[in-house]
Amino acid sequence: RNLAPAELRKRLNGHGARFIHIDGDHTPESLAHDLELAHAVLNERGVIALDDMLHPGYPTLVVTVVEYLTRHPEMRVVCIIDREDISAAAKFLICRTDVADVYVRDLMLSFAQFHFEPGARMPIGDAEVEIVWPATGAGRTPRLAGDQLPRIC
């Protein structure tokens, strides 16, 4: 938590990070710090992956992401990756707006079978975001955590 951007850059041998995965302690303050740290060392074409977004146990993390995007209008959520059920919460992928189309095209081509519906998008901030989830067939819907829990009665 106390790592400064200069120290992280040193650990990266002065190179910008191409991929940063944030899975912290799930508080808004820690996420805000981690996002700013990632932003400071991110390669110009890099991606930040945020874990446990849209998780019912951490509902305010999305607000922290929107606040980050407001402070950094050059960034946008480019994709939401649903992990099939609410107990394995979605990931957000964030990158610079000027490279977002490259990632969107690649995601649409590489993972076409996993789109919620081909080309599905959702507004977050000023951007439209691609939605990707692990569907295996037409009409399949995501499972909820309750589908995995044993029935008591």
Side-chain angles (χ1 to χ4, degrees), residues 77-147:
V77 176
V78 69
C79 181
I80 298 170
I81 302 172
D82 187 355
R83 294 178 51 201
E84 192 169 345
D85 54 55
I86 203 162
S87 63
K91 291 186 183 289
F92 284 8
L93 300 183
I94 297 175
C95 69
R96 287 185 167 75
T97 301
D98 60 344
V99 297
D101 286 343
V102 172
Y103 288 112
V104 168
R105 270 193 312 274
D106 190 49
L107 287 165
M108 294 295 283
L109 291 172
S110 299
F111 300 101
Q113 74 273 25
F114 297 114
H115 286 275
F116 181 68
E117 64 183 63
R121 296 178 142 217
M122 169 182 161
I124 292 185
D126 294 333
E128 291 286 317
V129 178
E130 303 302 321
I131 301 172
V132 179
W133 64 297
T136 58
R140 183 162 176 226
T141 58
R143 292 179 300 146
L144 297 177
D147 294 341

Side-chain angles (χ1 to χ4, degrees), residues 32-112:
H33 174 269
D34 291 346
L35 279 166
E36 292 301 334
L37 182 61
H39 187 88
V41 300
L42 191 66
N43 177 286
E44 61 192 26
R45 297 176 61 84
V47 173
I48 301 169
L50 303 177
D51 195 35
D52 293 330
M53 297 290 105
L54 310 177
H55 190 288
Y58 319 113
T60 61
L61 293 183
V62 173
V63 174
T64 304
V65 173
V66 171
E67 291 169 352
Y68 165 80
L69 295 172
T70 301
R71 287 189 306 277
H72 299 283
E74 74 280 11
M75 305 299 284
R76 65 166 273 198
V77 176
V78 69
C79 181
I80 298 170
I81 302 172
D82 187 355
R83 294 178 51 201
E84 192 169 345
D85 54 55
I86 203 162
S87 63
K91 291 186 183 289
F92 284 8
L93 300 183
I94 297 175
C95 69
R96 287 185 167 75
T97 301
D98 60 344
V99 297
D101 286 343
V102 172
Y103 288 112
V104 168
R105 270 193 312 274
D106 190 49
L107 287 165
M108 294 295 283
L109 291 172
S110 299
F111 300 101

